[in-house]
Each structure stands twice: as C-alpha cells, then as structure tokens.
Amino acid sequence: MTAARLPGPLRAAATAGSALAVLGTLHQLRNQRELRTPPAAPPPVTVPVSLLVPARDEARRIGPTIRSLCAQTGLAEAEILVLDDGSTDGTAAVVRAAAGGDPRLRVLTGTPPPPGRLGKPHACAQLAAAARGEVLVFVDADVVLAPHAVAAAVAVLRGPAPLDLLCPWPRQVAEGVAARLVQPLLAWSWLVTLPLRVAERSGRPSLVAANGQFLLVEAAALARAGGWEAVAGAVLDDIALARAVRGAGGRTGVADGSALATCRMYDDGRQLAAGYRKSLWAAFGSAPGAAGVAALLALVYVLPAVAALRGSRAGALGYAAGVASRVLAARRTGARTWPDAAAHPVSIAALLGLLASSWAGRRAGTLTWKGRTL
C-alpha cells in the first residue's frame, strides 16, 4: 500500500502525530538547556546531613551503595541510617560489613507497615523520624553515588534558586532488551513533556516530576508537608511526596544526576515487568487518564512510524523527531544512544503493554511487591 492509498483519517492522524513529535523535541531542547546541573566541585556542606536508605531483602546489591555513602566528601557532619525493613536475606549483616566499622552508620530495625500503609513510605517515615540532619537524603539500595554526589546535590538544593525537594536523576543502568527499551523512557518522558522552569514555580500537582532513587528534602519542609505519613498509601510515593511538599508551599525540582549516581533497577525482563506492573497504573490518576495518555503516545510516537513504513513522508518526519528526541535524552542522561533510539516506537509500544498489564492487575487485585500486597 502506498502513502497515497492510506485511509484519509489515518493520514491525518499520522500528520498530526508527527507535528506533535516535532514540537515535543523542540520543547525538549529548551528543557535540556534549562535543566539544573550540579557542580563538579561543590562547596563544603556545613549543615548536618542524614543519608537514609530503606532496605528490604537487598543483601545481593546493597554493598556498593553503602560503600559509596561512606565515601562521601565535603560533608562536615553526616549520619548514615539504614532501615532493615523485615529482610530475611541478611541485609543488615551485609550493610555492617560494607560500612567497615564506620561510626556514622546505624542499622535500624523497621516495624511492619500498619494496614493502609505501604512498605517504602512507612520505612522512609521511620528513617525521617530517627534522622538528625537539616537535609535528608533518601537513597535506594540499588543506587551508587559518586564521592561528591551529596555535596553537589545540596549545592543545587540550597543554591541561588533554592528548592525544598530535589531529585538529581541518576543514570539508569539498563542491561538486556527489556530494560534498554523501557528504562530510558523514565527521564525522556519529563524532558519532553514537562516545562521545567514553569514547573518549579508552579504549585500544580500535575507539573511534578520526582524520583525516589536519590531524593533530597529539607527536614523542615518535610515536616510542614506532613512527613512521609502524608503519602503512606501512595504507590508512587516519590511523586506524592513532591506534591505534598508543593501543597505546603514548598518548591520542588529535578536535576541532571547522571554524573552523581547510577541505578540498576532490574536484573532482567521479568523483574522489570513486575516493577512497572505494580505501580504504572497510578501514574496518570485514573483509568480514563491512563487511556488518554496511552492514545496520545500511540498517536505521536507509534502511528507515524507505522505510516512511514507505508511510505508516508509526514510519518517519516514524525519518526525521525521521536528518534532525535531519544538521542538528545540519552546524551543528556548518560544512556545508550544507538541502536536503542531507533527502536523508540517499539519502546513506546512496550510501555503501553506494561500500562495495560498494570491496570489489569489493579482491577484483579493481584499486585504485589517484595512479598507484600499492594
């Protein structure tokens, strides 16, 4: 079938999708110029800082995380608190061994989440209650920090345009086909869609991006927002916390953390599918909202590629804009560029499949994570 013989509505939709893809890439270029970049040589941090790690059955991978926390430079006063959240694999012993007797480290024994509360926000609430720092730094057990990471992030948090909550986005380590298709979409999505500077000044909940892998928050701002208890039932607790901080009058934002931290969230495709399935349903507010976003993503990034295969020049332009967008995001965030970017329509299709699976699990009540029902 030639482009001329494509049905009229399909041609029109492909043209509209391609136009939106081009606009998205142009918007992304501005965002990437305005994205906060932490300094390579940050000034010393003189206020007390608490480094906080919630950990549940993380013995296999938490060692490098703890060693990187113990190796932080430029912190005049720091404590390292790890909450062992009911682990059965010896996580606490691995943490102590990795710390090598560092007197700043304490391992706390967590309590099970009460009914109606989810595991991670409950663990983070316990960590915040025990912390003494003015700045609280939450780090996931699969994140490894560069030696200057915390000092550099605090320099952004308390810099000329200060924030109350900051997420320096780690470089995502993606191994295997599934991870290389899906993981880069995390940073790409907000780089393309979110007006960063407007979002930082706005109090609108819809203009929030956050990543709990590496999250800094002023202790006073967290208290004003009601603490982690205010988001105790949120599956996307990082987004919910940022919204709570904004709701209490605080400012939140993201930064390029690719030179500060790395994170390998999943070891294989099965883990990735389970991880996205547990929470993706909550990303867009409601089933109609999720359906609308899915339709828009298909229109902008899948349909033009399909039309291009049928000879559509407009579709080819849209496909090229999507690929260029992925290339730009990859270069800014330290992800792979080629050939991964060329498969952008396949990445979007994979994400839509995970979204449908997540909603199916939500409706059936079968979602679990680390042995706990969601």
Side-chain angles (χ1 to χ4, degrees):
M1 181 182 291
T2 65
R5 294 175 60 190
L6 286 172
L10 182 60
R11 290 200 307 272
T15 300
S18 295
L20 290 173
V22 171
L23 290 174
T25 302
L26 293 174
H27 178 254
Q28 178 185 352
L29 284 168
R30 179 175 180 177
N31 262 350
Q32 293 192 187
R33 288 195 300 269
E34 296 180 343
L35 180 62
R36 292 174 183 255
T37 302
V45 179
T46 58
V47 301
V49 176
S50 297
L51 311 180
L52 310 173
V53 184
R56 179 174 170 83
D57 290 333
E58 300 286 3
R60 183 175 51 81
R61 56 183 178 178
I62 199 172
T65 302
I66 299 304
R67 287 190 287 272
S68 74
L69 293 178
C70 293
Q72 290 301 297
T73 61
L75 306 180
E77 184 179 346
E79 62 176 353
I80 305 169
L81 306 182
V82 180
L83 186 107
D84 184 12
D85 184 18
S87 299
T88 59
D89 64 349
T91 292
V94 172
V95 168
R96 293 188 178 97
D102 192 319
R104 299 172 298 172
L105 182 134
R106 287 189 289 152
V107 177
L108 311 177
T109 301
T111 61
R117 293 191 176 191
L118 298 181
K120 186 176 179 182
H122 180 61
C124 289
Q126 294 173 78
L127 285 165
R132 299 189 293 266
E134 288 185 24
V135 176
L136 308 183
V137 182
F138 292 89
V139 181
D140 278 358
D142 51 9
V143 172
V144 178
L145 301 183
H148 70 299
V150 173
V154 172
V156 176
L157 182 77
R158 294 193 159 192
L163 299 169
D164 295 284
L165 181 148
L166 171 70
C167 296
W169 208 278
R171 179 172 65 86
Q172 302 298 312
V173 179
E175 301 293 342
V177 174
R180 289 174 64 175
L181 281 174
V182 176
Q183 285 300 91
L185 298 179
L186 288 174
W188 169 85
S189 61
W190 54 263
L191 281 170
V192 171
T193 62
L194 189 69
L196 291 179
R197 286 292 182 246
V198 172
E200 286 186 1
R201 296 189 296 268
S202 173
R204 295 183 61 182
S206 59
L207 295 179
V208 164
N211 187 341
Q213 295 169 354
F214 183 21
L215 183 152
L216 292 80
V217 62
E218 296 281 359
L222 180 64
R224 288 194 298 270
W228 285 94
E229 293 85 354
V231 298
V235 174
L236 296 175
D237 49 83
D238 45 8
I239 297 289
L241 185 70
R243 288 173 175 169
V245 169
R246 283 195 178 184
R251 295 183 64 194
T252 73
V254 295
D256 177 8
S258 59
L260 304 185
T262 60
C263 178
R264 181 172 180 175
M265 292 179 66
Y266 307 111
D267 292 333
D268 54 37
R270 180 175 297 180
Q271 284 187 9
L272 181 142
Y276 276 83
R277 191 170 186 265
K278 74 176 173 63
S279 58
L280 199 54
W281 65 269
F284 307 112
S286 65
V293 170
L296 184 61
L297 286 172
L299 172 70
V300 178
Y301 295 109
V302 178
L303 180 58
V306 173
L309 292 175
R310 298 296 186 92
S312 167
R313 292 182 179 180
L317 176 62
Y319 168 69
V323 171
S325 178
R326 277 287 294 276
V327 169
L328 291 168
R331 290 178 176 173
R332 192 68 166 89
T333 62
R336 285 187 179 94
T337 303
W338 301 107
D340 302 48
H344 188 54
V346 182
S347 293
I348 297 297
L351 180 67
L352 298 184
L354 291 170
L355 178 60
S357 177
S358 181
W359 268 104
R362 169 67 173 171
R363 292 287 176 84
T366 58
L367 301 181
T368 62
W369 187 245
K370 293 192 174 182
R372 289 171 173 163
T373 299
L374 299 177

